[in-house]
Amino acid sequence: MLLKLLILSLVTTSALAQTSIIICSQAFVDDICTCNFLIFNPNGFNNLTVVGNPITNCTFEDTKQAIAMGSSPNIPSAICSHLPNLEKLVMENVGIINLNGMPFRNCGNLKTLQLGNNEIVAIPAHVFSFTALELIELNNNNLTTFDEHAFDNLFRLTTLNINENSNGIILPETVFHHLISLQSLLVSNCGITSFNSSWFASLRSLILLDLSRNNFSTIPENTFRSQQSLRLLNLSFGQLETIPETTFQNITNLLILDLQSNKIKEFHPNLFSSLTLLQNLHLSDNLNVTTPSNIFRSLQSLRTLELSSNNVTVIDGWFSSLSNLININLSNNNIITIPDNTFTAARALQRINLSRNKIGILDSRSFGSLHMMTELDVHNNLIDEVDHSLVSQSSILRIVNFSNNNCTQLRTDSFNESRSVHMDAMKACFDKFDLKPIELQTFNSTVYNWYSIRTNDGWDALHISVKAYENVHIALSNSTNTTEPPIEIIIGQNRGRVSSILDQGVAVFSDNNERRLDETAFRDFIIGWRFGIVMVFEAGEQMPFMGYNMQNRYSVDFFGLRTIISLSDHKAEWKASRLQMSSTKSLDDVYADIKNKLNKNIPIDLNLYLR
Ligand SMILES: *[C@@H]1O[C@H](CO)[C@@H](O)[C@H](O)[C@H]1NC(C)=O
Ligand SMILES: *[C@@H]1O[C@H](CO)[C@@H](O)[C@H](O)[C@H]1NC(C)=O
Ligand SMILES: *[C@@H]1O[C@H](CO)[C@@H](O)[C@H](O)[C@H]1NC(C)=O
Ligand SMILES: *[C@@H]1O[C@H](CO)[C@@H](O)[C@H](O)[C@H]1NC(C)=O
Ligand SMILES: *[C@@H]1O[C@H](CO)[C@@H](O)[C@H](O)[C@H]1NC(C)=O
Ligand SMILES: *[C@@H]1O[C@H](CO)[C@@H](O)[C@H](O)[C@H]1NC(C)=O
Ligand SMILES: *[C@@H]1O[C@H](CO)[C@@H](O)[C@H](O)[C@H]1NC(C)=O
Ligand SMILES: *[C@@H]1O[C@H](CO)[C@@H](O)[C@H](O)[C@H]1NC(C)=O
Ligand SMILES: *[C@@H]1O[C@H](CO)[C@@H](O)[C@H](O)[C@H]1NC(C)=O
Ligand SMILES: *[C@@H]1O[C@H](CO)[C@@H](O)[C@H](O)[C@H]1NC(C)=O
Ligand SMILES: *[C@@H]1O[C@H](CO)[C@@H](O)[C@H](O)[C@H]1NC(C)=O
Ligand SMILES: *[C@@H]1O[C@H](CO)[C@@H](O)[C@H](O)[C@H]1NC(C)=O
């Protein structure tokens, strides 16, 4: 404290005397001999008096770092001639305007130079050339002019920060050509209006390049030809309108690419095709993006995709390669429908933001597995129907936002903590979804088309209308990814096949009556599975023609529809409706009787019920 007062009074008297001076107060800071100095140099002299309070093992000779307060329009060469072993010099916010007079000529060991928040206008030739600089900060200055030899001989430089020189810097073609060790180049908000494709040609070690908040509208071909090491490229908040097809071709190790808030209208289909390691792609807030559907096809490593505010309307097929996607943001676009299987590849999705679109229906068939989902934000849509399986699949779902929608306004940060209360709040959405008949066509395949059903809420039957020549298959399962569903029901009778019920692929009931399907007219069936007993009715008949007691070994959360593999093309046309068996009065009698027997522990003989 005493020392500070002394220094202050010295400075005041010096100011009065118009004497330029540097007063250095030496001390160990983190075991480093440090000179915190006051500089007063209104006339920009180079050769001024330096006084100090050297202690035994922290003399001028020993000083490794120096940190300035005060003001000076230049960096007096006296600093380096008095402190020749400096490794770090910090002169921020002291009003430096120029770097004339080779101020660092005697600082051969200088590694770190922090000159941010000054008013430096130009970088002269060779000004840093005789140092060992590894880091230079020139952010928030008034830089416009760089001599083409400004950074010559800085073979060890790893970080160069010239952010926020917003008057507009002019970079000579070869200005960075000696910076072979440079890892971070920060040139944000520097008013760059055009590019020279040679600027980065020698920067083979570059890991981070920040060119955000500039004014260029395109990037010349081959600009990033040498940037194989680059991991992070920031081109955000600029005026980019077009990006040539090959721009990112050689940046094969890129992990993060930020292009948000530009004026890009179109992305070339091959623009991202080399970026197989990319994890984070930010494209939000561009203009009215019309994107070819296969543009993301190579991005197998992508974890986060930001696509908000792009006036996106159609997303069919966009995400079919993104098997590592965890976060998707499509907020504030014009999406109306999310086609089936849009996100099927993304089996580990955690955060989904579809807010501020025009979506009316949320169907789990648009997604793959949602077991990892923790956040679902769909606020401000027109949602009137929700597949319950979308929100019930994940036991770790926490954040749910349905505010400003039609069938629910649910908004919570703790969905999984009171799941049944929140599911009740969405019941109107589920009911509207479940009451709507499913219409589809299936072709010969071993793969089922899966749909959810709320058995636990009493939805324990299906009404199936089907037009087909060959047999059709209906599966009951607790998951959509079983290759062999627990229960399969085959209906139809052609070419010696029979209608039957299979338990894990083994026929447990066969119907030998003629019950052929018709390819020109719908036939109607009801399949129920109350009390663990599967029964298959032909519509209009009081008794089932097939039945099987699965004895509550299987729970039914999904049903699947498919057409058998056949030598000829085989097609089926379906209308399937979810039902509550208790609402089909006539057929429910059979189950009512079974319920009665179950309550009295009377063994069930299914033959008593079958036609
Ligand atoms: C000023 O610089 C000259 C050489 O240019 C040197 O001889 C002289 O000692 C310096 N004066 C101070 C006060 O450092
Ligand atoms: C400097 O000297 C003091 C007193 O002799 C000693 O305690 C301290 O460890 C020394 N520091 C260094 C970095 O040599
Ligand atoms: C640096 O820029 C600031 C803000 O634009 C301005 O006030 C100041 O006069 C400039 N200084 C020089 C030396 O150009
Ligand atoms: C760059 O763009 C910004 C924002 O549009 C503008 O304010 C600035 O004047 C431009 N600078 C140059 C050098 O064109
Ligand atoms: C790059 O700089 C060279 C040399 O100054 C010049 O000939 C060339 O036109 C520049 N290219 C661009 C795209 O500005
Ligand atoms: C990619 O690198 C090769 C080899 O260095 C070079 O010939 C080619 O021009 C580069 N391509 C682009 C688009 O930068
Ligand atoms: C969004 O796209 C639609 C049609 O694709 C177009 O009518 C509308 O003008 C676009 N909006 C904006 C802000 O570009
Ligand atoms: C947006 O895209 C649509 C369809 O490509 C086009 O018709 C419309 O003119 C675009 N709007 C703007 C503002 O670019
Ligand atoms: C919103 O809900 C109301 C009442 O349930 C219904 O009349 C209307 O058609 C729904 N709007 C949309 C867009 O689904
Ligand atoms: C589905 O049922 C099978 C038995 O068929 C069981 O092994 C499996 O754990 C169940 N899976 C889920 C997700 O409930
Ligand atoms: C299928 O679902 C089970 C859980 O029921 C899961 O353990 C398994 O990984 C899933 N298989 C695939 C291919 O996703
Ligand atoms: C059905 O299967 C047959 C035989 O495998 C095949 O030739 C035919 O193309 C398939 N039809 C459809 C519509 O998939």
Side-chain angles (χ1 to χ4, degrees):
M1 197 57 195
L2 202 63
L3 182 71
K4 259 195 183 157
L5 281 177
L6 178 76
I7 290 169
L8 273 176
S9 62
L10 250 171
V11 170
T12 323
T13 41
S14 312
L16 287 174
Q18 285 292 299
T19 314
S20 297
I21 194 165
I22 288 174
I23 303 161
C24 173
S25 153
Q26 281 130 300
F28 280 95
V29 176
D30 296 333
D31 282 340
I32 299 166
C33 173
T34 301
C35 149
N36 284 301
F37 65 99
L38 270 166
I39 181 165
F40 182 80
N41 185 24
N43 297 319
F45 294 141
N46 257 312
N47 193 355
L48 38 68
T49 314
V50 179
V51 299
N53 64 331
I55 52 174
T56 47
N57 52 7
C58 186
T59 63
F60 283 162
E61 281 281 311
D62 299 327
T63 302
K64 294 278 195 288
Q65 62 180 10
I67 300 162
M69 279 174 58
S71 77
S72 173
N74 65 333
I75 300 178
S77 52
I79 294 173
C80 282
S81 41
H82 283 77
L83 310 172
N85 294 312
L86 264 194
E87 292 177 5
K88 175 175 178 177
L89 175 61
V90 182
M91 292 183 76
E92 292 169 339
N93 235 325
V94 293
I96 302 167
I97 292 168
N98 72 71
L99 298 180
N100 298 339
M102 297 299 282
F104 312 113
R105 192 175 30 204
N106 293 316
C107 276
N109 296 329
L110 194 63
K111 290 182 181 148
T112 301
L113 179 60
Q114 293 171 231
L115 302 175
N117 290 294
N118 285 294
E119 296 175 30
I120 303 166
V121 177
I123 310 291
H126 299 291
V127 63
F128 309 114
S129 288
F130 309 101
T131 65
L133 277 168
E134 292 169 4
L135 179 147
I136 301 178
E137 287 180 359
L138 291 160
N139 53 297
N140 299 78
N141 277 279
N142 292 28
L143 285 169
T144 52
T145 313
F146 291 75
D147 188 277
E148 65 177 311
H149 301 294
F151 301 114
D152 274 12
N153 305 323
L154 294 181
F155 301 111
R156 289 185 238 180
L157 196 70
T158 58
T159 302
L160 177 58
N161 180 350
I162 35 188
N163 285 344
E164 307 293 332
N165 283 281
S166 57
N167 291 348
I169 61 170
I170 295 155
L171 293 173
E173 186 194 1
T174 56
V175 70
F176 300 133
H177 278 199
H178 282 187
L179 306 182
I180 52 169
S181 303
L182 199 68
Q183 295 183 358
S184 299
L185 177 57
L186 310 174
V187 208
S188 177
N189 193 16
C190 285
I192 297 173
T193 51
S194 70
F195 247 75
N196 195 299
S197 63
S198 296
W199 280 345
F200 311 126
S202 304
L203 305 183
R204 294 182 184 282
S205 307
L206 211 56
I207 291 172
L208 186 162
L209 177 56
D210 186 353
L211 288 162
S212 62
R213 294 171 204 274
N214 280 294
N215 299 50
F216 46 86
S217 58
T218 189
I219 299 169
E221 302 225 11
N222 301 319
T223 294
F224 303 123
R225 60 182 169 277
S226 314
Q227 270 63 60
Q228 277 85 357
S229 319
L230 200 64
R231 292 300 176 115
L232 194 159
L233 177 58
N234 190 348
L235 293 162
S236 62
F237 296 95
Q239 315 281 332
L240 267 177
E241 286 169 20
T242 52
I243 310 177
E245 174 184 358
T246 58
T247 303
F248 306 126
Q249 199 177 66
N250 281 357
I251 322 183
T252 49
N253 287 301
L254 201 62
L255 298 181
I256 300 173
L257 176 59
D258 194 345
L259 287 163
Q260 71 175 300
S261 283
N262 277 283
K263 298 183 172 160
I264 305 162
K265 287 194 179 137
E266 211 174 341
F267 293 99
H268 192 281
N270 293 327
L271 186 62
F272 304 128
S273 61
S274 302
L275 305 182
T276 53
L277 301 180
L278 197 71
Q279 293 184 1
N280 194 319
L281 179 58
H282 210 320
L283 300 177
S284 293
D285 207 4
N286 277 286
L287 279 187
N288 199 23
V289 168
T290 47
T291 299
S293 69
N294 57 355
I295 189 170
F296 303 123
R297 67 187 180 281
S298 304
L299 305 180
Q300 294 107 352
S301 307
L302 202 67
R303 296 162 65 86
T304 297
L305 179 56
E306 298 277 350
L307 266 171
S308 65
S309 305
N310 276 324
N311 203 6
V312 170
T313 50
V314 177
I315 53 175
D316 202 4
W318 281 19
F319 312 117
S320 56
S321 310
L322 306 186
S323 53
N324 284 300
L325 198 65
I326 287 175
N327 308 304
I328 177 79
N329 184 355
L330 281 161
S331 173
N332 199 26
N333 284 296
N334 264 318
I335 300 166
I336 296 169
T337 54
I338 311 168
D340 279 3
N341 297 318
T342 299
F343 295 102
T344 308
R347 303 196 57 83
L349 266 185
Q350 289 175 17
R351 279 173 290 273
I352 301 172
N353 188 345
L354 293 163
S355 62
R356 297 178 189 280
N357 280 285
K358 297 185 176 139
I359 299 165
I361 301 173
L362 279 183
D363 190 334
S364 68
R365 289 172 55 81
S366 313
F367 298 88
S369 162
L370 288 167
H371 288 95
M372 306 295 281
M373 181 168 62
T374 57
E375 292 181 29
L376 175 65
D377 187 351
V378 292
H379 75 270
N380 285 75
N381 275 284
L382 305 170
I383 294 168
D384 207 30
E385 295 177 21
V386 180
D387 182 349
H388 86 280
S389 148
L390 190 91
V391 286
S392 63
Q393 273 185 58
S394 169
S395 58
I396 51 175
L397 181 59
R398 283 182 296 108
I399 299 175
V400 172
N401 189 351
F402 273 86
S403 44
N404 290 313
N405 277 289
N406 211 8
C407 61
T408 181
Q409 303 286 328
L410 178 68
R411 179 176 190 174
T412 173
D413 290 346
S414 54
F415 187 88
N416 56 345
E417 283 165 26
S418 23
R419 173 173 289 270
S420 57
V421 174
H422 296 314
M423 292 293 274
D424 273 354
M426 298 186 66
K427 192 166 179 304
C429 308
F430 302 151
D431 286 351
K432 281 183 186 166
F433 182 87
D434 287 348
L435 280 168
K436 195 180 50 182
I438 295 157
E439 294 191 14
L440 90 154
Q441 294 189 338
T442 58
F443 301 92
N444 47 354
S445 169
T446 52
V447 179
Y448 277 100
N449 297 274
W450 290 106
Y451 299 88
S452 67
I453 187 154
R454 285 180 289 159
T455 301
N456 291 338
D457 285 348
W459 297 77
D460 49 11
L462 291 173
H463 181 160
I464 302 278
S465 288
V466 65
K467 238 194 244 184
Y469 178 71
E470 298 276 4
N471 295 10
V472 294
H473 287 218
I474 298 113
L476 305 178
S477 181
N478 62 353
S479 119
T480 61
N481 76 3
T482 33
T483 46
E484 188 164 87
I487 299 290
E488 285 176 280
I489 295 148
I490 302 172
I491 301 179
Q493 201 160 35
N494 193 17
R495 294 194 245 223
R497 295 186 175 100
V498 293
S499 298
S500 49
I501 298 177
L502 312 185
D503 181 336
Q504 304 207 322
V506 178
V508 289
F509 188 97
S510 293
D511 171 45
N512 293 318
N513 297 317
E514 176 82 3
R515 206 171 289 277
R516 232 181 118 163
L517 297 178
D518 187 333
E519 59 185 321
T520 60
F522 281 105
R523 284 188 71 170
D524 289 74
F525 302 92
I526 289 175
I527 299 170
W529 54 89
R530 297 197 98 179
F531 315 121
I533 293 169
V534 181
M535 289 188 174
V536 186
F537 300 79
E538 174 121 32
E541 292 178 357
Q542 296 295 310
M543 301 294 253
F545 66 92
M546 293 199 286
Y548 174 59
N549 190 347
M550 57 181 183
Q551 290 167 333
N552 290 321
R553 277 180 296 129
Y554 306 123
S555 67
V556 180
D557 303 307
F558 298 92
F559 63 95
L561 307 176
R562 74 171 171 96
T563 325
I564 56 164
I565 300 265
S566 156
L567 289 179
S568 59
D569 280 4
H570 183 35
K571 184 180 95 172
E573 213 175 317
W574 304 74
K575 285 181 203 157
S577 301
R578 301 169 176 90
L579 282 185
Q580 299 187 315
M581 188 52 103
S582 55
S583 69
T584 60
K585 259 291 137 246
S586 56
L587 303 180
D588 188 44
D589 290 348
V590 177
Y591 276 113
D593 192 47
I594 287 173
K595 184 183 183 185
N596 196 23
K597 286 189 172 143
L598 283 173
N599 282 343
K600 293 180 184 160
N601 272 330
I602 300 172
I604 308 294
D605 179 2
L606 274 180
N607 290 319
L608 292 178
Y609 301 98
L610 293 164
R611 283 180 70 243

